Amino acid sequence: MNIILWAVLPYASILTFALGIAWRYRYDRYGWTTRSSQLYESATLRWGSPMFHFGLLLVLGGHATGLLIPKVWTEAVGISNHTYHLMAVFLGTVSGICTVAGLAVLLCRRWLVRPVLKATTTNDHMMYAVLAATLALGLLATVRANTIGDGYDYRETVSPWLRSIFLLRPDIDLMATVPTNLQAHVLTAFALLAVWPFTRLVHAFSAPVGYLTRPYVVYRNRDGLGPARR
Amino acid sequence: MRVMAQLAMVMNLDKCIGCHTCSVTCKQAWTNRSGVEYAWFNNVETRPGQGYPRTYQDQQRWQGGWVRSARGRLRPRAGGRLKRLLSIFANPKLPTLRDYYEPWTYDYEHLLSSPPAQQTPVAQPISQMTGRPTAITWSANWDDSLAGGNEVASGDPILARVSASVRLEYENAFMFFLPRICEHCLNPSCAASCPSGAIYKRVEDGIVLIDQNRCRGWRMCVTGCPYKKIYFNHRTGKAEKCTFCFPRVEIGQPTVCAETCVGRLRYIGLMLYDADAVAQAAATEHDTDLYAAQRSVFLDPHDPSVIAAARRAGIAEDWIDAAQRSPAWDLIVRYEVALPLHPEYRTMPMVWYIPPLSPVVEALRDTGHDGEKLGNLFGAVEALRIPVRYLAELFTAGDPAPVEAVLRRLAAMRAYQRRINLGDPPDESIAEAVGMSGEQMQAMYRLLAIAKYEQRYVIPAAHTQTAHTLEGRATGCSLDSEGGPGMGGRINLLTWNGNDRPEGLFPPRKEPV
Ligand code: SF4
Ligand code: SF4
């Protein structure tokens, strides 16, 4: 059971993710879009969307530091466990609440504003369920373990386990003692990863940073062969 | 000097009867699909009026086009690159469907299924956005022909600029139609606003297109275009715009709107211009100098040095020849009767307009004067401040002088031709009064009044290895071709029904052996 949960499933979802993204990029760039609904309704979206997205960027940054950077490294550069913990709890809770609240605003809008609801596909509904579950479980884990509870240090278990996955030597025993709530969060996160390429979430991979350096006006040849002169 | 060719259009507003044939044929050809029900790549609006989308010309509100900084540099009015990226999660200046209109259909089914009743059954309007019964309150031309009167027309941002106190009093009333398509600007702010770099200007003919494979639906272009000629397809999640009917013009046919125009008022031809001079011209300090600045980037296709430079730039001989015969060149430069729409937006638009003399003529006729007599007409151009200032706000950033000059030329042409019509000898002094020769006057008259199809549309065919496939493309929906800038009917993962195998979405199947 543990092997399936903590080794097979993660690899399966990573593989689905990679292949899915590759397929989508090769065959469905036409479907690669935010599919914004701002045209139907703008007032609520202008609050909810930045709240959700900026919150999410922070949350992702936090995850990257917490999961990928080994504890010994942060300690080596002189950040004590306590300081790190305080920072993580504070930033994690604030950005987590931001994200979840933003998503709540957006989801209410999606259900209550009729044209937006009409433009929502089954695919979207499924994706929102997984996304909401992941975010809610994650926030719950942060709040429970770090503020109410005695301070569970996932950097001793989940982080090394995840790194072991990436190093192709999955250390499944590490996950056995992790609180159920956090385990569930990890599993839904992998589920989210697996459905990612097949949903509107792909737009996350088109962060247009090239805009900062390119000339304002783009010229191209008729044949569509890449940007032309200037 | 870097010579580039640009397909330009000129519309003679005096001849527009507001029939909307152009809009309807354009819609039938390009936007007769779900997701763009509300979009009219070609629309005809009544001036004075609010326009479509409502009050789009109010750039304080919609933030389209460019602004010139104190240091003389241009940046999109809605903000430069960094600001755009920071507001990417919700575009603060996006018009919503309420600013266009909520598209609707009718419950036709009810007409057939209604049980026997006292009253004749009626088909209720159904919103295409909610699928529910709706009350129609606005459309792309709700205020057509001044419908709604003062109440609606006073929402016109241009009228408000002409004079804070102008009301459309009956004595002052004037009206004309303004057909609009994408301007295919030399300095397109839509392209400048696109974070993905999906909007591009074609090197060969200057047509501005959106690469449907690269658009990610950020919607910044909708804000960036001051003419609001980019439409967000809410079904595919991609932006779409007028393509200048490129599959047609590539084989030498005029755009659908021009081909079907009932008033035969549209002209299509090439303009050669110096691409290196565009940025500086667009950054000219005073708004009122922009009309002259844009003219200064056009290159004379008869000038041997221009011809040589055009050849060096790889422009083919038949294109140079077409540029020399271009009706756009004649109307813009030779006769100086065409003006750009809103040069103050600094996008260097390339659909130009001959302002209408009809408000002036009609005013004269209404007051019992002879609307064909030169003295009367000249006097009226001077006296009718409000129409002239209104036209100046549209075409010359508020400077009445160029508009007056055009109207005087048109008036002179009327008077000159009338004498000829009545069998009197031509009066050269009339032509001279507006700085033209009698010969020029007659040539201009022929171009404006009786020009044949071949003279109105001088469109050289595209030079491409795939030219032979274009013939077929002009009849099919070319926007659907792979990599084409529209691809309206194409299925993507979001619109796929999950059962069949749409073309292009999967790797090709192996042929069974
Ligand atoms: S008029 Fe056309 S080319 Fe000009 S900014 Fe708007 S969409 Fe772009
Ligand atoms: S078809 Fe021609 S005359 Fe009719 S509305 Fe369009 S531009 Fe005007």
Side-chain angles (χ1 to χ4, degrees), chain B residues 63-218:
Chain B
Q63 302 279 307
W66 301 87
V67 277
R68 183 182 187 275
S69 73
R71 285 184 297 129
R73 307 213 1 184
L74 288 187
R75 72 166 170 72
R77 188 188 291 272
R81 299 180 173 92
L82 200 59
K83 188 168 170 208
R84 296 277 79 188
L85 285 192
L86 286 177
S87 52
I88 203 160
F89 297 133
N91 180 352
K93 294 291 174 193
L94 188 80
T96 59
L97 271 183
R98 228 170 313 149
D99 301 299
Y100 299 90
Y101 68 98
E102 191 168 341
W104 72 88
T105 177
Y106 291 94
D107 180 14
Y108 296 111
E109 182 58 33
H110 178 68
L111 298 182
L112 301 174
S113 62
S114 147
Q118 283 291 313
Q119 284 87 20
T120 322
V122 286
Q124 252 195 321
I126 306 285
S127 161
Q128 285 178 312
M129 291 299 105
T130 63
R132 290 183 176 161
T134 184
I136 305 165
T137 55
W138 195 255
S139 78
N141 63 326
W142 201 245
D143 51 355
D144 204 299
S145 308
L146 297 182
N150 244 330
E151 234 164 89
V152 174
S154 59
D156 179 346
I158 301 299
L159 202 59
R161 286 176 64 160
V162 170
S163 158
S165 60
V166 169
R167 309 262 314 179
L168 274 186
E169 284 133 28
Y170 185 71
E171 316 84 73
N172 280 334
F174 65 101
M175 183 196 94
F176 60 94
F177 298 103
L178 181 70
R180 295 198 303 124
I181 62 172
C182 161
E183 298 277 346
H184 297 276
C185 307
L186 298 183
N187 186 32
S189 55
C190 57
S193 313
C194 174
S196 310
I199 305 185
Y200 61 97
K201 191 166 180 65
R202 290 214 303 199
V203 175
E204 292 86 351
D205 50 19
I207 296 179
V208 176
L209 295 171
I210 305 177
D211 184 336
Q212 293 290 301
N213 278 340
R214 290 185 70 169
C215 172
R216 297 285 173 263
W218 299 124

Side-chain angles (χ1 to χ4, degrees), chain B residues 297-503:
Chain B
V297 308
F298 298 143
L299 299 172
D300 183 351
H302 306 279
D303 178 341
S305 70
V306 170
I307 296 175
R311 286 190 183 127
R312 275 199 305 280
I315 296 177
E317 289 306 317
D318 57 336
W319 279 58
I320 297 175
D321 173 63
Q324 289 168 346
R325 293 183 291 120
S326 164
W329 169 264
D330 286 346
L331 294 170
I332 293 173
V333 181
R334 191 191 300 258
Y335 306 130
E336 292 184 55
V337 287
L339 301 170
L341 181 63
H342 291 301
E344 72 274 22
Y345 297 161
R346 296 176 184 273
T347 61
M348 307 250 125
M350 285 307 290
V351 174
W352 287 41
Y353 293 90
I354 302 174
L357 186 66
S358 47
V360 176
V361 178
E362 271 153 30
L364 278 179
R365 213 174 278 145
D366 288 349
T367 48
H369 292 86
D370 182 352
E372 313 282 324
K373 220 169 142 203
L374 192 63
N376 286 350
L377 278 168
F378 275 11
V381 169
E382 314 268 275
L384 288 173
R385 303 312 312 166
I386 290 176
V388 171
R389 280 183 58 200
Y390 190 92
L391 293 171
E393 287 292 342
L394 284 184
F395 300 118
T396 50
D399 178 7
V403 172
E404 275 173 14
V406 173
L407 293 183
R408 290 164 74 99
R409 281 205 163 170
L410 297 177
M413 186 182 82
R414 263 184 110 88
Y416 187 88
Q417 285 304 134
R418 177 161 81 156
R419 284 185 64 90
I420 295 179
N421 261 353
L422 296 179
D424 295 340
D427 179 356
E428 298 305 318
S429 72
I430 296 181
E432 278 154 25
V434 289
M436 293 174 89
S437 70
E439 216 172 300
Q440 274 183 318
M441 191 122 273
Q442 294 203 29
M444 178 167 93
Y445 161 75
R446 278 195 300 276
L447 184 57
L448 287 181
I450 51 178
K452 293 278 176 293
Y453 193 88
E454 301 74 36
Q455 285 125 28
R456 280 181 282 132
Y457 311 124
V458 181
I459 307 167
H463 288 267
T464 156
Q465 296 90 322
T466 53
H468 60 279
T469 63
L470 293 174
E471 189 76 48
R473 274 223 254 158
T475 44
C477 181
S478 78
L479 290 181
D480 296 344
S481 72
E482 168 109 62
M487 297 192 298
R490 213 175 120 187
I491 304 288
N492 64 26
L493 192 60
L494 298 170
T495 50
W496 183 41
N497 63 14
N499 293 322
D500 46 8
R501 252 183 94 94
E503 216 179 312

Side-chain angles (χ1 to χ4, degrees), chain A residues 2-75:
Chain A
N2 274 354
I3 298 189
I4 294 186
L5 282 186
W6 309 119
V8 178
L9 276 184
Y11 281 122
S13 85
I14 291 174
L15 197 70
T16 323
F17 175 79
L19 290 180
I21 289 282
W23 165 73
R24 202 78 198 274
Y25 188 76
R26 170 69 185 77
Y27 291 102
D28 191 31
R29 248 178 289 177
Y30 179 44
W32 200 296
T33 158
T34 59
R35 201 146 183 257
S36 161
S37 58
Q38 195 180 356
L39 194 66
Y40 308 128
E41 197 277 349
S42 192
T44 328
L45 182 111
R46 277 179 55 193
W47 279 98
S49 177
M51 198 150 99
F52 169 73
H53 283 95
F54 283 118
L56 195 64
L57 285 180
L58 267 181
V59 167
L60 286 178
H63 276 69
T65 5
L67 293 174
L68 299 181
I69 302 179
K71 199 170 168 183
V72 282
W73 293 13
T74 50
E75 275 164 9

Side-chain angles (χ1 to χ4, degrees), chain B residues 11 15-23 25 42-44 177-180 257-258 260-266:
Chain B
M11 301 195 212
K15 290 178 151 193
C16 182
I17 56 173
C19 65
H20 298 270
T21 306
C22 46
S23 306
T25 50
N42 181 108
N43 77 291
V44 183
F177 298 103
L178 181 70
R180 295 198 303 124
C257 56
T260 59
C261 175
V262 170
R264 301 188 179 183
L265 56 90
R266 299 187 185 219

Side-chain angles (χ1 to χ4, degrees), chain B residues 239-293:
Chain B
E240 294 186 17
K241 68 182 286 299
C242 155
T243 63
F244 212 82
C245 292
F246 73 90
R248 291 175 56 90
V249 296
E250 280 178 4
I251 56 169
Q253 295 176 352
T255 62
V256 169
C257 56
E259 172 87 55
T260 59
C261 175
V262 170
R264 301 188 179 183
L265 56 90
R266 299 187 185 219
Y267 299 80
I268 298 176
L270 282 181
M271 292 297 278
L272 298 184
Y273 70 102
D274 181 1
D276 287 335
V278 168
Q280 216 199 334
T284 301
E285 186 175 352
H286 297 293
D287 284 356
T288 42
D289 294 334
L290 280 159
Y291 161 54

